[in-house]
Amino acid sequence: MKKLILLIAILVSCNPSYSDSIWKKEQNLNDIQARNLLALSKLYGCARYFYPNILTSEWTDVEWYKYLALCSERIMNVEDRNVLKKELLNLFSPIIPELTFNLDNLPTSDYKNRIKEKSVPYYVWKHYGFGERPIDNIFESKIVLVNTLTDELPVPDSLYRIELAPEIFAYYPIAVSYKHQKTSSFKKLKKQISKKKLRLLDISEANYILKDILSIPIKNRDIAFIKDPYIRFADIMVKWNVINHFYPYFDEDNLINKWDDILISGLNDAALCNNQAEYYNVVRRLFANVNDSHITVQRYGVLSKLLGLQLPYYVSDIKLGWIGNKIYLDENLPDSLNTSIRRGDVISFINGQPIDSVINQKFQLITASTIPAKYESLTKGVLLESFKYADTLHVGFTNKNNEIITIPVVAKSNPYAISEKEPNANFISELSGIYYINLTKRDSTSSYQHFRKKLDHIKKAKGIILDIRGYPDYTVADSIIVHFKKDSLEWGDFRRPERYFPFQQHVIYKKDISYLSSAKEDLSNIPVCILINHNAVSYAETLITVIKKNKIGTLIGQPTNGTNGDITIIHNPIYGFTMTAIKDFSGLHGKGISPDIYVQPTLEGIIANQDEILEAAKKYIDDIQQL
């Protein structure tokens, strides 16, 4: 019997299958429900991340989900504002015993001095970054014991006011001078949470599910996973709060003026879902309001050691590119599809819908820092995606004769199995006395050792071109760029945040200046051009910032992506995600780094396999030599 149960659990974790009839759909949220859920969400964020209760700090993500689901069901339809406060107090006081809704004024100003005199040790949440950095994780969120009071930290046992919703304010301490014990009310709440069912897999459905899993191939299964709308509400609230408290560019993205409305919209969409694919798009629409190209929403969930979710997702394997607002075919199709459609032909419609309309709809699902970054995501899969295996999309292309030809395009490829288009050029090439170095190239020759072997020849070049239209290998690029300045290079202005207060208040950013040591072989007397465009993101933009700051060369091409700072992983039980965790103070966020010489590639040049940005750089160096 144990083996049978384990088999069911493992199969469900690979890809659960349910009929849509068991998906519970709610109605549009009214104003009262929206107000109540907004208040709940904000109070949850403060209770979980900025109230130092040792007991709740040990809760799992799933326990918080269950707790939020219980709270949502309890308060969602409460009409009277005072009754809502009472319900929230009953729900949260086991977690925050000091919570109150009845204070009109904060404590007197001499309270801080009184605490100083006593030198009372106190507990407070310290968030150094947030989540988990993929490599060499240094981020940490924990409750710390502080022995001295400073101006940077909350005053212990002092009540702070937070606005939960219009005309609804709560008061609670962000730091406390005692360690929490398990009270009877806390034990009762914990018991209620443990009894809460996620309603993901009912015993009555076990036979149907087992038969379904064993008989239907994974690629053809339908998904209906989160039946309980209150669990969906919980998931949206958890994700919303992470951005609300820990996204470093919250102000730059002007989220402070619209993030509350975005939550309500996300909750409403979550209530109206018909299936799991629709809910995944609800999550993507929530994040699309954030200008962060580092945000990627995972398509799986893990709710226990044995229970998980994998959402089927497929893309077409045809290669697309974009220029301006046009999306074109970037490689010739197989003869079996259509020989009259060639590279450079532009998409006019998909499934009978004009391409401009399709693009506008897809943009609502894409999180990116700039419009070019959104177009890049479109062409890398989002435009021709499907949650159904072998789904056929009817795509209309306009060819060079201005004829519209429609072909069937099948979405059946795993997006991770489709390789990126590799740069055609070698790592280092000699172009009529100009040395071209492609820092985004990744093969056996793309190494600093190979660069050094060519160094004697490079010293005699009339010019050098560094190509950073992509993501370089930092172990190679860092070693190469130090040759282009006699002195050491100052690195970018990155600052990791320390947070002790909610709602992005009083964030401490500590500047950490670092330098790259100069190299013995100096190339600073040779003209240098750096090729850039929207594919330069994150570390690539760090590198370009260093080059620009240290006046190493001339930037040629198009603006960069506009996203920088260490990535962090947020391990939500349902559709975790990545985002930017630290802040780049160079000012490039949401704008990118502008080139010194702007070059707009043309469709004619692309069809003719011309690299117009590279050609512009070669001409620039030749012109310098003639002066």
Side-chain angles (χ1 to χ4, degrees):
M1 182 61 184
K2 289 183 179 179
K3 290 183 179 180
L4 175 61
I5 293 174
L6 180 60
L7 173 63
I8 295 174
I10 291 173
L11 289 170
V12 171
S13 70
C14 293
N15 210 333
S17 180
Y18 305 88
S19 67
D20 283 345
S21 63
I22 63 175
W23 185 276
K24 184 171 180 180
K25 179 179 176 180
E26 294 294 306
Q27 302 301 315
N28 279 301
L29 301 179
N30 59 40
D31 291 343
I32 295 296
Q33 293 169 330
R35 177 202 68 186
N36 295 354
L37 292 176
L38 174 63
L40 169 61
S41 183
K42 287 188 176 182
L43 191 51
Y44 150 77
C46 293
R48 180 172 184 179
Y49 301 118
F50 296 98
Y51 179 74
N53 189 328
I54 297 293
L55 302 176
T56 54
S57 70
E58 298 172 352
W59 284 10
T60 65
D61 285 323
V62 172
E63 286 176 313
W64 280 111
Y65 271 55
K66 290 181 177 182
Y67 173 69
L68 277 172
L70 287 170
C71 294
S72 298
E73 195 166 7
R74 182 86 63 85
I75 59 93
M76 185 169 168
N77 294 300
V78 176
E79 295 186 7
D80 185 85
R81 187 177 288 108
N82 291 324
V83 177
L84 173 63
K85 293 177 182 178
K86 183 178 179 181
E87 288 291 345
L88 289 172
L89 188 63
N90 290 335
L91 289 165
F92 279 87
S93 58
I95 297 175
I96 311 176
E98 302 90 346
L99 178 67
T100 181
F101 292 88
N102 297 321
L103 286 183
D104 294 324
N105 298 300
L106 291 176
T108 56
S109 58
D110 68 345
Y111 185 78
K112 188 172 183 179
N113 292 328
R114 182 161 54 85
I115 292 293
K116 275 186 176 179
E117 292 173 2
K118 290 185 176 181
S119 299
V120 178
Y122 60 96
Y123 296 91
V124 66
W125 270 104
K126 177 183 178 181
H127 299 281
Y128 181 64
F130 189 74
E132 179 185 356
R133 194 166 72 164
I135 301 174
D136 299 327
N137 181 41
I138 57 172
F139 301 148
E140 188 176 41
S141 293
K142 64 179 181 179
I143 296 173
V144 295
L145 181 64
V146 180
N147 292 310
T148 57
L149 194 68
T150 70
D151 292 334
E152 295 178 327
L153 302 184
V155 179
D157 302 320
S158 180
L159 300 183
Y160 288 80
R161 188 178 81 163
I162 57 171
E163 183 177 6
L164 301 181
E167 300 182 38
I168 301 178
F169 297 92
Y171 303 84
Y172 85 104
I174 299 175
V176 297
S177 59
Y178 68 96
K179 191 172 183 179
H180 292 79
Q181 303 297 323
K182 291 183 179 180
T183 62
S184 58
S185 61
F186 182 86
K187 292 177 182 178
K188 181 179 178 182
L189 176 62
K190 195 71 164 59
K191 189 174 182 180
Q192 289 176 322
I193 292 172
S194 65
K195 288 184 176 180
K196 170 67 180 174
K197 303 298 182 184
L198 291 178
R199 295 169 61 196
L200 304 173
L201 177 62
D202 293 340
I203 295 299
S204 59
E205 298 161 359
N207 291 334
Y208 164 75
I209 292 168
L210 181 59
K211 181 179 69 174
D212 191 31
I213 288 175
L214 295 178
S215 63
I216 300 178
I218 288 177
K219 61 188 179 183
N220 290 327
R221 293 182 199 150
D222 294 326
I223 293 292
F225 195 64
I226 313 169
K227 297 186 296 179
D228 190 338
Y230 299 110
I231 293 293
R232 303 200 293 271
F233 291 161
D235 185 52
I236 293 296
M237 291 180 192
V238 168
K239 290 174 168 59
W240 181 87
N241 269 283
V242 171
I243 300 295
N244 197 32
H245 296 291
F246 302 106
Y247 175 57
Y249 298 108
F250 193 84
D251 290 340
E252 286 82 352
D253 288 0
N254 197 31
L255 294 176
I256 192 171
N257 296 319
K258 58 185 179 181
W259 198 233
D260 288 0
D261 292 335
I262 290 169
L263 171 66
I264 293 169
S265 177
L267 292 170
N268 192 70
D269 289 347
L272 298 174
C273 283
N274 288 304
N275 55 56
Q276 194 58 31
E278 285 188 14
Y279 180 68
Y280 180 73
N281 282 340
V282 169
V283 174
R284 291 204 289 182
R285 281 196 296 273
L286 177 78
F287 287 126
N289 294 282
V290 183
N291 301 331
D292 184 8
S293 297
H294 279 156
I295 290 183
T296 301
V297 184
Q298 298 162 347
R299 288 182 290 274
Y300 61 86
V302 179
L303 290 113
S304 71
K305 292 181 179 179
L306 297 177
L307 185 60
L309 158 70
Q310 179 69 49
L311 181 65
Y313 180 83
Y314 308 96
V315 297
S316 167
D317 57 2
I318 68 171
K319 296 289 193 299
L320 299 176
W322 66 274
I323 185 167
N325 61 353
K326 295 179 179 179
I327 297 178
Y328 62 87
L329 185 66
D330 200 25
E331 67 176 10
N332 290 331
L333 297 172
D335 292 342
S336 59
L337 280 178
N338 199 301
T339 57
S340 58
I341 299 175
R342 309 302 295 172
R343 183 170 183 259
D345 290 347
V346 176
I347 295 180
S348 301
F349 61 81
I350 298 175
N351 289 342
Q353 190 173 1
I355 187 62
D356 290 345
S357 177
V358 175
I359 289 173
N360 289 335
Q361 292 174 19
K362 293 292 186 178
F363 270 10
Q364 296 177 28
L365 304 175
I366 297 173
T367 306
S369 50
T370 58
I371 294 299
K374 283 182 179 280
Y375 271 102
E376 194 65 21
S377 291
L378 272 181
T379 59
K380 290 294 186 290
V382 176
L383 185 66
L384 302 178
E385 68 181 1
S386 179
F387 298 99
K388 181 181 178 182
Y389 179 75
D391 194 14
T392 301
L393 307 173
H394 299 281
V395 182
F397 287 89
T398 300
N399 65 14
K400 63 181 181 180
N401 299 320
N402 209 31
E403 301 170 326
I404 297 179
I405 301 172
T406 303
I407 62 169
V409 175
V410 179
K412 61 179 181 180
S413 298
N414 184 327
Y416 301 113
I418 298 177
S419 60
E420 292 286 333
K421 189 176 181 181
E422 282 291 325
N424 294 323
N426 296 324
F427 174 52
I428 299 178
S429 305
E430 192 269 329
L431 309 170
S432 303
I434 300 172
Y435 269 85
Y436 167 86
I437 304 173
N438 190 343
L439 294 179
T440 70
K441 185 77 173 180
R442 292 172 182 267
D443 61 16
S444 58
T445 68
S446 307
S447 66
Y448 180 61
Q449 289 74 21
H450 185 67
F451 169 81
R452 289 196 61 84
K453 289 179 181 178
K454 298 276 187 178
L455 198 52
D456 288 340
H457 298 287
I458 294 173
K459 288 178 182 179
K460 302 173 185 178
K462 64 180 181 181
I464 297 172
I465 297 174
L466 302 178
D467 196 339
I468 314 182
R469 292 174 293 177
Y471 198 89
D473 181 342
Y474 73 92
T475 63
V476 177
D478 285 4
S479 300
I480 289 177
I481 63 167
V482 296
H483 287 271
F484 296 99
K485 191 177 180 183
K486 293 180 180 179
D487 303 323
S488 58
L489 298 178
E490 183 178 337
W491 203 239
D493 186 5
F494 295 99
R495 307 184 195 181
R496 296 187 179 94
E498 285 186 17
R499 293 183 174 89
Y500 300 90
F501 293 86
F503 305 112
Q504 307 277 353
Q505 297 298 307
H506 312 297
V507 181
I508 302 170
Y509 285 104
K510 295 183 179 179
K511 190 172 183 178
D512 181 18
I513 300 176
S514 58
Y515 295 86
L516 293 176
S517 300
S518 60
K520 293 181 180 179
E521 299 87 352
D522 178 26
L523 303 174
S524 61
N525 63 329
I526 303 175
V528 178
C529 290
I530 302 93
L531 311 186
I532 65 172
N533 69 2
H534 58 275
N535 287 318
V537 60
S538 195
Y539 165 68
E541 293 181 286
T542 299
L543 192 64
I544 295 166
T545 299
V546 171
I547 288 171
K548 185 172 184 176
K549 186 175 184 178
N550 291 276
K551 299 179 181 179
I552 286 174
T554 302
L555 306 181
I556 297 179
Q558 297 174 294
T560 60
N561 188 289
T563 295
N564 206 1
D566 285 354
I567 291 179
T568 187
I569 303 173
I570 311 300
H571 296 286
N572 290 157
I574 303 167
Y575 302 147
F577 62 98
T578 59
M579 72 173 195
T580 301
I582 73 170
K583 196 167 187 175
D584 179 358
F585 278 75
S586 67
L588 67 85
H589 175 77
K591 297 176 290 186
I593 304 166
S594 296
D596 300 310
I597 300 174
Y598 184 87
V599 179
Q600 174 63 63
T602 64
L603 191 56
E604 292 76 19
I606 291 168
I607 294 173
N609 290 316
Q610 293 178 350
D611 188 338
E612 291 163 290
I613 294 177
L614 175 59
E615 293 301 317
K618 290 161 61 178
K619 183 178 183 301
Y620 177 80
I621 292 174
D622 286 337
D623 290 345
I624 289 177
Q625 295 297 315
Q626 295 175 9
L627 293 179

